[in-house]
Amino acid sequence: MLNKFSVYLLGSLSLFFLGVSSFLVGSFFLVWDYVIFMDWEILSMNGCSITMTFLFDWISLVFVGCVFVISSMVIYYSESYMGSDVDRVRFYFLVFLFVMSMMMMIVSPNLMSILIGWDGLGLVSYCLVIYFQNYKSYSAGMLTILTNRVGDVAILLSIAWMLNFGSWHYIFYMGMWDYWEFYLISLIVLAGFTSSAQIPFSSWLPAAMAAPTPVSSLVHSSTLVTAGVYLLIRFSEMLSNFNCSFILALSMMTMFMAGLGANLEFDLSSIIALSTLSQLGLMMSILFLGYPILSFLHLLTHAFFKALLFLCAGVMIHCMNDSQDIRYMGAMTSYLPFTCTCFCISNMSLCGLPFMSGFYSKDLILEAMTGSGYNFFVFLIFFVSIGLTVSYTFRVIYYVMFYNVNMHVCHGYGEDKIMMKSMIVLALLAISGGSMLSWLIFSVPELFVLPLHLKLMPLVFIFLGGWLGYEFSSVNLGEFPLSLRFYFISFFSGSMWFMPYFSTFMLYGKSFYLSKMYYEVMDGGWGEYVVSSSPLLFTSSLSKLMNYYQFNNVKIYMMVFVLIFIFSLI
C-alpha cells in the first residue's frame, strides 16, 4: 500500500530518470554535434498560426538533466524535511511547477516562450517564499517578486523591440550586428542582472531565504538565480560585439561584495546565500570576459555542490530547533557525522580544492582571466574574491564543527535515512561531476601556459583566505573578534553595502512623508469632512427630518391647514 508521502518518492524517481536520460542524450548531441529545432504548430487559422518552438542542443539537454537530477534529490529530501507540515502536498506541487517553469525557460529559443517560463519562475518563487505566511516572509516575497518584475518588463520590451524584425527567435540574429541590437542586448542584460541578483538588484537573494530550506536549495543551485546566467549564455554571441566594461565591473563588484559580506554574517542560511551571490558574480564576470562555455561549466558544477551545501545546512538547522545562528552551533561532528562529511565535501568543492568538482571550473576560469590581458583591477578583484570564498568557508566550518559546544539543552540530534540518501547522490556529483563535465565539454585539453608566479597565485590566495577565515572566527577571552574591532567597516560590508536599504526604505521613504501630508490634509482633514462625511451628514439630517415628520404628522397637517386658510383669506 502506498504511504502518505509516496507522491514525493514518485516525483523524485520520475525526475531522476528523466534527468539522467536528458543528460545522456545531451552528451550524445555534444559528441556528434547534433541539434534538434522543433516547431510545433498549435493552431492555424486564416493564414495566422500559433506555434511553440523548442531547441534541443547539448547545452539545453545537459542543463535540463542536471536540473532534474538535483530537483529529484531535493524533492526526495523534502519528504522527510516537510513531513510534519500540514500543507506538504501543496508544497510538492509548487516545487514541481517551479522545476517545470525552469525547464520551459531552458528549452525555448523564442522570447515569447522564454517569458512563460520566466514568469512562471517569478510567480512560483513568490508563492514559495511566502510559504510560512508571516510578516518576514511577506516582505521577502514582495521584494523578490518586485525586483524580478523589472526583468520581466525588460524581456517584454525586448519582445516588443524584436517585433520590428520578423521573428522572436533569438537564434536568427546571432551572426549579425546592427545598431538596434545594442538596445536588445541591454534589455537582456538587465533581465539577467535582476534574475541573478547582480548589483544593484542584490538585496532580494538573501531575503528569499525566508522560503523552506529545500526551496532555497533549488533556487540557489539550479533554478531561479541561474536563469539569468543561462539567458546571457544563450545571447553570448551578441555580447561579443557589445562593450562589456561597465557590466563586467558590476559583476566583479557583486562577487567581491558578497564574499566580504559572508565573512561578517552569523546566519548560516545568509552565509550560503551570499556565497551563491559571489559565485553568480564569478559566472557573470567570466561570461563578460568572453568565455561563455566556462561560465556554463561553473554553472553546472556550482549547482551540484551548492544544492548539497543547502541540504546539509537544512539538516543542521532542523536539529537545532530551527536556529540558524552559527554561534549556537559547534562540535557537530560528534552528533551528525555523515552530514558534516557532506558539508565538508561541498565546502571544499566550493573552495576549488584540487580534483573536487569546483576545481575543474574555477581553475580554468582563473587561468582564462589571467591570460585574457585585462588590467590589474580585474586581477585583484578576481583573486581577492577567491581568497574571500575560502575565508568564509573555513569560518563556517570552524564555527559549525570545531568550535565550543554552544548549543542549547533541548536539541534532538539525529540523521534521517531519507535525507542521507539524497545527500549521497549530490555528494558523488560534488566530487566527480566537475571532472566528468570538463572531460565531456572540453574533448581537447585546454592549455594555458603561464609563468610560475601566476600559476601559483590561486594557491597563495587560497592559503591567505584560509588564514583570514580563522582570524575572523577565533575569539579569545577578554577581547572582541576581528570582525567586531572595526565595527563601522563590518557594518557597511555586512549589510551588503547598504543595498537592502536602497532597495526598500531609501527608495520610497520620501514618498511616505508625502503620503502622510496628503493623509493629514485630505483624508484626515478637509477631505474627511467634505468628501467622506458630507453624504453621511446630509442623509442623517434628512432622516431626522423624515423621522420628525412621521411622529408629528397630525400636528403638522393641522398647522399647514390653518396656514393655508389664513393665506387664502389674505
Side-chain angles (χ1 to χ4, degrees):
M1 183 179 173
L2 292 175
N3 62 17
K4 57 184 177 180
F5 296 130
S6 60
V7 64
Y8 281 90
L9 181 61
L10 183 65
S12 64
L13 282 175
S14 308
L15 280 178
F16 183 76
F17 287 119
L18 272 173
V20 171
S21 307
S22 300
F23 187 84
L24 292 174
V25 174
S27 308
F28 173 79
F29 279 23
L30 173 61
V31 171
W32 294 100
D33 197 15
Y34 196 71
V35 178
I36 293 178
F37 186 86
M38 192 169 76
D39 218 0
W40 174 38
E41 188 174 71
I42 300 172
L43 178 67
S44 181
M45 186 180 292
N46 298 332
C48 178
S49 64
I50 298 174
T51 60
M52 180 67 77
T53 316
F54 300 103
L55 177 65
F56 297 105
D57 62 345
W58 74 269
I59 292 182
S60 61
L61 285 170
V62 167
F63 194 27
V64 164
C66 293
V67 169
F68 278 1
V69 168
I70 291 168
S71 305
S72 67
M73 292 301 107
V74 170
I75 287 174
Y76 187 56
Y77 174 92
S78 304
E79 178 180 339
S80 173
Y81 192 89
M82 306 297 290
S84 58
D85 194 83
V86 179
D87 300 316
R88 53 187 171 268
V89 177
R90 175 165 64 97
F91 175 80
Y92 166 77
F93 283 110
L94 280 172
V95 171
F96 204 78
L97 270 174
F98 197 55
V99 176
M100 290 301 111
S101 300
M102 187 66 191
M103 187 207 71
M104 184 71 192
M105 188 251 156
I106 291 170
V107 298
S108 298
N110 186 313
L111 274 184
M112 292 290 280
S113 48
I114 281 175
L115 186 65
I116 296 171
W118 194 276
D119 265 344
L121 284 171
L123 181 62
V124 180
S125 68
Y126 174 71
C127 298
L128 286 167
V129 169
I130 65 165
Y131 182 80
F132 286 132
Q133 298 183 12
N134 51 48
Y135 285 113
K136 184 184 175 186
S137 299
Y138 293 149
S139 340
M142 285 306 293
L143 181 59
T144 301
I145 197 167
L146 290 177
T147 309
N148 281 290
R149 286 310 292 171
V150 177
D152 297 342
V153 170
I155 290 186
L156 280 168
L157 288 173
S158 60
I159 286 171
W161 191 253
M162 288 177 79
L163 187 64
N164 302 316
F165 304 103
S167 176
W168 284 307
H169 296 312
Y170 62 80
I171 57 173
F172 292 165
Y173 307 110
M174 286 299 152
M176 57 182 289
W177 178 256
D178 205 346
Y179 71 93
W180 60 270
E181 291 197 16
F182 170 79
Y183 304 105
L184 173 65
I185 202 66
S186 301
L187 291 168
I188 296 297
V189 166
L190 177 61
F193 265 48
T194 53
S195 176
S196 296
Q198 304 296 294
I199 289 176
F201 307 107
S202 303
S203 57
W204 73 263
L205 191 62
M209 298 303 300
T213 303
V215 175
S216 302
S217 177
L218 267 183
V219 166
H220 289 255
S221 64
S222 55
T223 50
L224 183 61
V225 295
T226 57
V229 181
Y230 179 79
L231 186 69
L232 287 174
I233 288 170
R234 283 300 198 184
F235 278 87
S236 57
E237 286 189 32
M238 295 172 81
L239 280 169
S240 58
N241 298 309
F242 189 69
N243 186 8
C244 300
S245 302
F246 177 64
I247 48 181
L248 172 64
L250 287 181
S251 300
M252 290 192 303
M253 286 295 100
T254 306
M255 177 170 58
F256 179 69
M257 176 264 293
L260 204 58
N263 278 288
L264 301 161
E265 185 64 60
F266 288 103
D267 188 299
L268 181 60
S269 295
S270 296
I271 291 170
I272 305 175
L274 289 168
S275 160
T276 303
L277 190 55
S278 174
Q279 299 306 305
L280 287 170
L282 180 63
M283 293 173 211
M284 284 287 195
S285 303
I286 199 65
L287 174 63
F288 293 132
L289 282 175
Y291 298 97
I293 302 300
L294 277 182
S295 179
F296 182 65
L297 176 63
H298 190 58
L299 181 67
L300 297 178
T301 56
H302 169 261
F304 296 143
F305 60 73
K306 190 49 65 74
L308 177 63
L309 192 57
F310 264 106
L311 296 191
C312 296
V315 175
M316 292 172 180
I317 292 166
H318 217 49
C319 292
M320 292 284 297
N321 259 350
D322 300 330
S323 168
Q324 301 183 9
D325 198 321
I326 57 175
R327 289 169 293 189
Y328 293 137
M329 301 179 185
M332 277 203 173
T333 43
S334 309
Y335 306 100
L336 306 170
F338 180 78
T339 305
C340 288
T341 306
C342 292
F343 191 71
C344 277
I345 287 171
S346 55
N347 272 314
M348 292 303 106
S349 191
L350 170 64
C351 290
L353 191 76
F355 314 116
M356 300 288 280
S357 184
F359 165 75
Y360 288 92
S361 54
K362 272 197 166 181
D363 196 58
L364 267 177
I365 284 174
L366 284 175
E367 289 182 346
M369 181 276 304
T370 310
S372 61
Y374 270 79
N375 55 22
F376 179 70
F377 176 73
V378 177
F379 267 71
L380 185 68
I381 293 293
F382 261 86
F383 281 112
V384 169
S385 301
I386 294 297
L388 289 172
T389 301
V390 184
S391 171
Y392 64 70
T393 302
F394 273 84
R395 177 173 173 265
V396 165
I397 290 174
Y398 178 80
Y399 267 106
V400 169
M401 293 194 286
F402 303 116
Y403 199 45
N404 300 325
V405 183
N406 283 336
M407 71 281 290
H408 300 301
V409 179
C410 301
H411 285 169
Y413 288 94
E415 294 180 326
D416 194 282
K417 285 185 179 178
I418 293 175
M419 293 183 177
M420 287 167 69
K421 286 175 190 173
S422 56
M423 286 193 285
I424 286 171
V425 177
L426 289 174
L428 291 174
L429 288 172
I431 294 169
S432 60
S435 56
M436 182 174 61
L437 284 166
S438 65
W439 298 334
L440 184 68
I441 293 172
F442 304 111
S443 54
V444 178
E446 297 285 331
L447 182 65
F448 291 94
V449 180
L450 297 171
L452 181 65
H453 64 280
L454 287 179
K455 201 73 172 174
L456 292 177
M457 193 78 75
L459 203 60
V460 170
F461 273 89
I462 282 174
F463 282 118
L464 280 174
W467 169 77
L468 186 66
Y470 174 75
E471 287 293 332
F472 266 114
S473 53
S474 64
V475 181
N476 294 323
L477 289 174
E479 67 176 33
F480 288 111
L482 186 63
S483 56
L484 291 179
R485 289 181 210 166
F486 307 102
Y487 176 73
F488 293 108
I489 300 173
S490 65
F491 179 68
F492 173 66
S493 301
S495 63
M496 294 175 65
W497 296 355
F498 303 138
M499 210 158 299
Y501 304 105
F502 280 113
S503 301
T504 52
F505 186 73
M506 288 183 75
L507 196 63
Y508 52 74
K510 298 297 181 188
S511 62
F512 275 172
Y513 294 111
L514 185 65
S515 61
K516 181 187 175 189
M517 186 180 69
Y518 278 143
Y519 172 77
E520 288 174 347
V521 173
M522 296 295 296
D523 199 31
W526 283 106
E528 176 69 28
Y529 292 105
V530 176
V531 179
S532 302
S533 302
S534 55
L536 178 65
L537 288 170
F538 176 71
T539 51
S540 59
S541 303
L542 192 62
S543 65
K544 283 179 184 176
L545 183 64
M546 295 299 293
N547 202 19
Y548 179 77
Y549 172 72
Q550 285 174 357
F551 281 109
N552 300 282
N553 53 356
V554 176
K555 294 178 184 177
I556 292 171
Y557 178 76
M558 293 301 296
M559 189 179 68
V560 168
F561 182 78
V562 170
L563 286 174
I564 291 173
F565 180 74
I566 291 171
F567 278 117
S568 64
L569 289 175
I570 293 172

